[in-house]
Amino acid sequence: MKFKIDTKEKIVVFCPEENALDANLAASFVETATTLPGLDTRNLILDLHLLTKIDDAGLEAILAVYTFMYDNNRSCAVTGLNSDLTALIKAAAPENFNFAPTMAEAIDLVMMEELERELLDGME
């Protein structure tokens, strides 16, 4: 799977350079996205603006990466999806799934959650 990553202080942006996320790429997507360099201490933004098609395996792969991040006490947001794919994922995703129409909003979402975790950790 071809992809671009952009690593920032508290965020890794993962952008697959594919127009379809299907059964052929789903396992590679999960493996790549969950083992990105620096991800162990950073939040993840999935920039999926190049995606035009997704099947059930691709949908499950996105949800698996999203769940992986929260299971490891980090945040995740999805941005760049067209309206059809957004509707498809919303139908399958948990209610609190982070969709953001723009990269700036995705960054704001994960940084707000990061701040919440820091404040909550400081209260314990």
Side-chain angles (χ1 to χ4, degrees):
M1 166 177 269
K2 292 182 182 180
F3 61 91
K4 289 183 182 176
I5 60 170
D6 182 13
T7 305
K8 302 178 184 309
E9 182 181 351
K10 293 189 175 200
I11 299 170
V12 175
V13 178
F14 177 66
C15 181
E17 294 185 317
E18 306 286 345
N19 66 356
L21 183 55
D22 55 21
N24 295 330
L25 293 174
S28 176
F29 177 84
V30 172
E31 175 68 22
T32 303
T34 58
T35 60
L36 293 168
L39 194 59
D40 55 330
T41 59
R42 292 179 177 87
N43 301 299
L44 180 65
I45 295 176
L46 297 173
D47 180 358
L48 305 178
H49 74 274
L50 295 176
L51 276 185
T52 57
K53 294 182 275 184
I54 189 171
D55 68 5
D56 288 344
L59 176 61
E60 290 300 320
I62 292 169
L63 296 175
V65 170
Y66 190 89
T67 302
F68 170 84
M69 292 303 295
Y70 281 92
D71 286 350
N72 287 283
N73 202 32
R74 293 187 307 276
S75 297
C76 185
V78 174
T79 190
L81 285 173
N82 67 40
S83 58
D84 292 338
L85 295 181
T86 299
L88 181 66
I89 294 173
K90 277 186 178 179
E95 188 175 298
N96 59 348
F97 197 90
N98 289 330
F99 287 100
T102 66
M103 181 60 69
E105 289 171 292
I107 291 169
D108 287 348
L109 274 169
V110 297
M111 293 310 296
M112 288 297 290
E113 287 185 354
E114 175 81 15
L115 182 60
E116 277 181 28
R117 276 193 301 277
E118 289 174 5
L119 290 172
L120 290 174
D121 287 348
M123 297 175 120
E124 293 177 358

